[in-house]
Amino acid sequence: MYKFFKNIGGLMSQRKGDIGLIGLAVMGQNLILNMADHGFTVVAFNRSIEKVHHFLANEAKGKSILGAESIADLCSKLKSPRRVMLLVKAGDAVDSFINQLVPHLEKGDIIIDGGNSEYQDSERRTKELAAKGIRFVGSGVSGGEEGARYGPSLMPGGNKEAWPYIKDIFQGISAKADGQPCCDWVGNDGAGHFVKMVHNGIEYGDMQLIGEVYHLMTALGINQEQMGDTFEKWNKGALDSFLIEITRDILRYKDSDGQYLLPKIRDTAGQKGTGKWTAISALNYGVPVTLIGESVFSRCLSALKSERQHASTKLQGPNAKFSGNVSKFLDDLEQALYAAKIVSYTQGFMLLREAAKVHNWELDYGAIALMWRGGCIIRSVFLGKIKEAFDKDINLNSLLLDPFFLDAITKAQQGWRNVLTTAVTLGIPTPALSTALAFYDGYRSERLPANLLQAQRDYFGAHTYELLGKEGKFVHTNWTGHGGNVSASTYDA
């Protein structure tokens, strides 16, 4: 018997791995197990070799998973072209491992970065490695540890020559929605990580909106069980989604003492950067992604816990209590959440479209919606409607103009406005719900007060303006009679 297992072990050691994976934290381990379950042989490596040994002796035992003692050992055990995936901390760690890998790779080999890297880094790495004959892929990976283990959403981009060599693995291990893999090639250079960044930004927005709805519910005098029942009801309708589902479970969860756990959790929220990156990109590209921006700032405000505690003893607000119909208000809340969600995704896809224009990415927006349809944190039935919208009109500039979403937000807006009126009366902050409505009202306005803004800029800085009906011709007015006729036409404030 010993000889039999020894021979099996020898055969395993001679096998060539289909893909190598560096980084044995939770996500890395679960992705490896997922790949092995789908028939791929994986070579695992970690900076701490002890972690490799422990993984092989426990979670990976009996599976088509090999260990590597070094980078050189890892590369020697891989089929050609070698495919190596990194799941390490974004930034310097990725560059460090790339530098260690390159001497052991050949032209045509593939390096995949599956971390939350900035898309500019992926752009740079794609170009730098292409010059060395190495194909680089920067891939978004979403779904947390459960998604990694049983089916994540994967968003690969970079050097398209790599796609045929990783497609079977990526689409094999990804989540499936209506039988289709939640993974497809996104675009060149940094496109994959840009799409993942926007995904995470939308995730920030969804979570903030749900948080504001929960905050408003606390003012209604209903208990958490009733709140949970409401979210369960919503999860059977248009809001059916992973985040609504887990919010129901969180609201119902009781601690070991029989009390609800949620009120015991400190009300300060952290962030890992992707929401902030989305807001910064929106400013850089000039796209009004206001809801994600407010969601990031709301987390920043939550972090000022000690300041807020002090301010709460000094700053005054309304003492009003909710006196309306609770059932009707909950219906309005559902409409407000749905309408604001439509705006959030509208803004996210506007940002994707503008970035694609700047970088010459050929993004398939329907396919992106499908990639998010399963396996990721923002997965929802809602995304199926987005895919349908772009399938009907690939040139759709705004989801608000798609017939389905136009009808939905038209029906929802009265409840939305009722909610915000009540929130102001009660003194409950709703930055995301409110900015969504402000965007909607701004987007539907034929005229905005930017004419005054342009006049002000021209008054104090001679920055010029355009006249209605004479677009493209920039003029300056000597508003005071003392400023002269010189304009600052090259300055854009």
PDB file of all heavy atoms in Angstrom, residues 75-92:
ATOM      1  N   CYS A  75       7.737  27.879 -11.703  1.00  0.00           N
ATOM      2  CA  CYS A  75       7.770  28.013 -13.159  1.00  0.00           C
ATOM      3  C   CYS A  75       8.158  26.707 -13.842  1.00  0.00           C
ATOM      4  O   CYS A  75       7.684  26.404 -14.947  1.00  0.00           O
ATOM      5  CB  CYS A  75       8.741  29.129 -13.556  1.00  0.00           C
ATOM      6  SG  CYS A  75       8.189  30.786 -13.019  1.00  0.00           S
ATOM      7  N   SER A  76       8.999  25.897 -13.183  1.00  0.00           N
ATOM      8  CA  SER A  76       9.441  24.634 -13.783  1.00  0.00           C
ATOM      9  C   SER A  76       8.325  23.597 -13.846  1.00  0.00           C
ATOM     10  O   SER A  76       8.410  22.630 -14.605  1.00  0.00           O
ATOM     11  CB  SER A  76      10.619  24.063 -12.993  1.00  0.00           C
ATOM     12  OG  SER A  76      10.187  23.564 -11.733  1.00  0.00           O
ATOM     13  N   LYS A  77       7.273  23.786 -13.047  1.00  0.00           N
ATOM     14  CA  LYS A  77       6.185  22.810 -12.971  1.00  0.00           C
ATOM     15  C   LYS A  77       4.983  23.165 -13.844  1.00  0.00           C
ATOM     16  O   LYS A  77       3.955  22.488 -13.793  1.00  0.00           O
ATOM     17  CB  LYS A  77       5.736  22.647 -11.518  1.00  0.00           C
ATOM     18  CG  LYS A  77       6.783  21.975 -10.634  1.00  0.00           C
ATOM     19  CD  LYS A  77       6.315  21.855  -9.197  1.00  0.00           C
ATOM     20  CE  LYS A  77       7.348  21.083  -8.365  1.00  0.00           C
ATOM     21  NZ  LYS A  77       6.984  21.002  -6.941  1.00  0.00           N
ATOM     22  N   LEU A  78       5.107  24.241 -14.651  1.00  0.00           N
ATOM     23  CA  LEU A  78       3.964  24.704 -15.443  1.00  0.00           C
ATOM     24  C   LEU A  78       4.097  24.352 -16.916  1.00  0.00           C
ATOM     25  O   LEU A  78       5.188  24.397 -17.494  1.00  0.00           O
ATOM     26  CB  LEU A  78       3.821  26.221 -15.289  1.00  0.00           C
ATOM     27  CG  LEU A  78       3.460  26.735 -13.900  1.00  0.00           C
ATOM     28  CD1 LEU A  78       3.514  28.251 -13.866  1.00  0.00           C
ATOM     29  CD2 LEU A  78       2.079  26.240 -13.483  1.00  0.00           C
ATOM     30  N   LYS A  79       2.955  24.016 -17.505  1.00  0.00           N
ATOM     31  CA  LYS A  79       2.894  23.786 -18.945  1.00  0.00           C
ATOM     32  C   LYS A  79       3.206  25.080 -19.690  1.00  0.00           C
ATOM     33  O   LYS A  79       3.060  26.175 -19.161  1.00  0.00           O
ATOM     34  CB  LYS A  79       1.491  23.311 -19.340  1.00  0.00           C
ATOM     35  CG  LYS A  79       1.068  21.972 -18.773  1.00  0.00           C
ATOM     36  CD  LYS A  79      -0.382  21.680 -19.148  1.00  0.00           C
ATOM     37  CE  LYS A  79      -0.866  20.377 -18.539  1.00  0.00           C
ATOM     38  NZ  LYS A  79      -2.290  20.122 -18.834  1.00  0.00           N
ATOM     39  N   SER A  80       3.580  24.937 -20.946  1.00  0.00           N
ATOM     40  CA  SER A  80       3.835  26.087 -21.798  1.00  0.00           C
ATOM     41  C   SER A  80       2.608  26.368 -22.678  1.00  0.00           C
ATOM     42  O   SER A  80       1.997  25.430 -23.193  1.00  0.00           O
ATOM     43  CB  SER A  80       5.061  25.820 -22.674  1.00  0.00           C
ATOM     44  OG  SER A  80       5.376  26.940 -23.447  1.00  0.00           O
ATOM     45  N   PRO A  81       2.209  27.638 -22.827  1.00  0.00           N
ATOM     46  CA  PRO A  81       2.785  28.807 -22.159  1.00  0.00           C
ATOM     47  C   PRO A  81       2.414  28.815 -20.680  1.00  0.00           C
ATOM     48  O   PRO A  81       1.296  28.451 -20.296  1.00  0.00           O
ATOM     49  CB  PRO A  81       2.138  29.980 -22.894  1.00  0.00           C
ATOM     50  CG  PRO A  81       0.823  29.449 -23.375  1.00  0.00           C
ATOM     51  CD  PRO A  81       1.077  28.015 -23.709  1.00  0.00           C
ATOM     52  N   ARG A  82       3.385  29.205 -19.875  1.00  0.00           N
ATOM     53  CA  ARG A  82       3.159  29.245 -18.424  1.00  0.00           C
ATOM     54  C   ARG A  82       2.125  30.312 -18.093  1.00  0.00           C
ATOM     55  O   ARG A  82       2.154  31.411 -18.635  1.00  0.00           O
ATOM     56  CB  ARG A  82       4.470  29.552 -17.691  1.00  0.00           C
ATOM     57  CG  ARG A  82       5.551  28.497 -17.869  1.00  0.00           C
ATOM     58  CD  ARG A  82       6.799  28.938 -17.164  1.00  0.00           C
ATOM     59  NE  ARG A  82       7.894  28.000 -17.312  1.00  0.00           N
ATOM     60  CZ  ARG A  82       8.772  28.023 -18.308  1.00  0.00           C
ATOM     61  NH1 ARG A  82       8.655  28.951 -19.255  1.00  0.00           N
ATOM     62  NH2 ARG A  82       9.752  27.143 -18.369  1.00  0.00           N
ATOM     63  N   ARG A  83       1.243  29.962 -17.162  1.00  0.00           N
ATOM     64  CA  ARG A  83       0.229  30.902 -16.674  1.00  0.00           C
ATOM     65  C   ARG A  83       0.391  31.014 -15.168  1.00  0.00           C
ATOM     66  O   ARG A  83       0.239  30.013 -14.461  1.00  0.00           O
ATOM     67  CB  ARG A  83      -1.167  30.398 -17.040  1.00  0.00           C
ATOM     68  CG  ARG A  83      -1.445  30.395 -18.529  1.00  0.00           C
ATOM     69  CD  ARG A  83      -2.618  29.537 -18.921  1.00  0.00           C
ATOM     70  NE  ARG A  83      -2.310  28.120 -18.842  1.00  0.00           N
ATOM     71  CZ  ARG A  83      -3.072  27.152 -19.370  1.00  0.00           C
ATOM     72  NH1 ARG A  83      -4.179  27.460 -20.005  1.00  0.00           N
ATOM     73  NH2 ARG A  83      -2.732  25.889 -19.251  1.00  0.00           N
ATOM     74  N   VAL A  84       0.694  32.214 -14.708  1.00  0.00           N
ATOM     75  CA  VAL A  84       0.913  32.442 -13.280  1.00  0.00           C
ATOM     76  C   VAL A  84      -0.006  33.563 -12.817  1.00  0.00           C
ATOM     77  O   VAL A  84       0.018  34.672 -13.369  1.00  0.00           O
ATOM     78  CB  VAL A  84       2.374  32.827 -12.976  1.00  0.00           C
ATOM     79  CG1 VAL A  84       2.560  32.998 -11.467  1.00  0.00           C
ATOM     80  CG2 VAL A  84       3.345  31.789 -13.531  1.00  0.00           C
ATOM     81  N   MET A  85      -0.813  33.271 -11.805  1.00  0.00           N
ATOM     82  CA  MET A  85      -1.745  34.274 -11.275  1.00  0.00           C
ATOM     83  C   MET A  85      -1.263  34.753  -9.917  1.00  0.00           C
ATOM     84  O   MET A  85      -0.886  33.954  -9.050  1.00  0.00           O
ATOM     85  CB  MET A  85      -3.146  33.679 -11.159  1.00  0.00           C
ATOM     86  CG  MET A  85      -4.222  34.671 -10.766  1.00  0.00           C
ATOM     87  SD  MET A  85      -5.874  33.953 -10.971  1.00  0.00           S
ATOM     88  CE  MET A  85      -6.911  35.397 -10.648  1.00  0.00           C
ATOM     89  N   LEU A  86      -1.287  36.077  -9.734  1.00  0.00           N
ATOM     90  CA  LEU A  86      -0.890  36.694  -8.471  1.00  0.00           C
ATOM     91  C   LEU A  86      -2.131  37.126  -7.707  1.00  0.00           C
ATOM     92  O   LEU A  86      -2.997  37.817  -8.252  1.00  0.00           O
ATOM     93  CB  LEU A  86      -0.016  37.927  -8.726  1.00  0.00           C
ATOM     94  CG  LEU A  86       1.260  37.728  -9.545  1.00  0.00           C
ATOM     95  CD1 LEU A  86       1.911  39.079  -9.842  1.00  0.00           C
ATOM     96  CD2 LEU A  86       2.236  36.841  -8.791  1.00  0.00           C
ATOM     97  N   LEU A  87      -2.214  36.709  -6.458  1.00  0.00           N
ATOM     98  CA  LEU A  87      -3.259  37.213  -5.565  1.00  0.00           C
ATOM     99  C   LEU A  87      -2.557  37.727  -4.313  1.00  0.00           C
ATOM    100  O   LEU A  87      -2.576  37.104  -3.253  1.00  0.00           O
ATOM    101  CB  LEU A  87      -4.268  36.121  -5.231  1.00  0.00           C
ATOM    102  CG  LEU A  87      -5.432  36.005  -6.211  1.00  0.00           C
ATOM    103  CD1 LEU A  87      -6.294  34.808  -5.897  1.00  0.00           C
ATOM    104  CD2 LEU A  87      -6.285  37.267  -6.208  1.00  0.00           C
ATOM    105  N   VAL A  88      -1.905  38.865  -4.487  1.00  0.00           N
ATOM    106  CA  VAL A  88      -1.136  39.499  -3.416  1.00  0.00           C
ATOM    107  C   VAL A  88      -1.583  40.948  -3.291  1.00  0.00           C
ATOM    108  O   VAL A  88      -2.343  41.453  -4.118  1.00  0.00           O
ATOM    109  CB  VAL A  88       0.385  39.426  -3.706  1.00  0.00           C
ATOM    110  CG1 VAL A  88       0.834  37.970  -3.787  1.00  0.00           C
ATOM    111  CG2 VAL A  88       0.738  40.163  -4.994  1.00  0.00           C
ATOM    112  N   LYS A  89      -1.112  41.618  -2.271  1.00  0.00           N
ATOM    113  CA  LYS A  89      -1.491  43.006  -2.023  1.00  0.00           C
ATOM    114  C   LYS A  89      -1.129  43.884  -3.207  1.00  0.00           C
ATOM    115  O   LYS A  89      -0.028  43.779  -3.758  1.00  0.00           O
ATOM    116  CB  LYS A  89      -0.804  43.514  -0.750  1.00  0.00           C
ATOM    117  CG  LYS A  89      -1.259  44.895  -0.317  1.00  0.00           C
ATOM    118  CD  LYS A  89      -0.604  45.299   0.988  1.00  0.00           C
ATOM    119  CE  LYS A  89      -1.069  46.685   1.421  1.00  0.00           C
ATOM    120  NZ  LYS A  89      -0.420  47.104   2.687  1.00  0.00           N
ATOM    121  N   ALA A  90      -2.044  44.749  -3.599  1.00  0.00           N
ATOM    122  CA  ALA A  90      -1.813  45.636  -4.739  1.00  0.00           C
ATOM    123  C   ALA A  90      -0.629  46.566  -4.471  1.00  0.00           C
ATOM    124  O   ALA A  90      -0.316  46.882  -3.322  1.00  0.00           O
ATOM    125  CB  ALA A  90      -3.067  46.458  -5.025  1.00  0.00           C
ATOM    126  N   GLY A  91       0.008  46.984  -5.556  1.00  0.00           N
ATOM    127  CA  GLY A  91       1.101  47.941  -5.427  1.00  0.00           C
ATOM    128  C   GLY A  91       2.459  47.296  -5.585  1.00  0.00           C
ATOM    129  O   GLY A  91       2.690  46.497  -6.502  1.00  0.00           O
ATOM    130  N   ASP A  92       3.370  47.614  -4.674  1.00  0.00           N
ATOM    131  CA  ASP A  92       4.761  47.162  -4.780  1.00  0.00           C
ATOM    132  C   ASP A  92       4.894  45.644  -4.767  1.00  0.00           C
ATOM    133  O   ASP A  92       5.779  45.084  -5.417  1.00  0.00           O
ATOM    134  CB  ASP A  92       5.604  47.758  -3.640  1.00  0.00           C
ATOM    135  CG  ASP A  92       5.752  49.266  -3.765  1.00  0.00           C
ATOM    136  OD1 ASP A  92       5.535  49.787  -4.870  1.00  0.00           O
ATOM    137  OD2 ASP A  92       6.082  49.916  -2.750  1.00  0.00           O
TER     138      ASP A  92
END
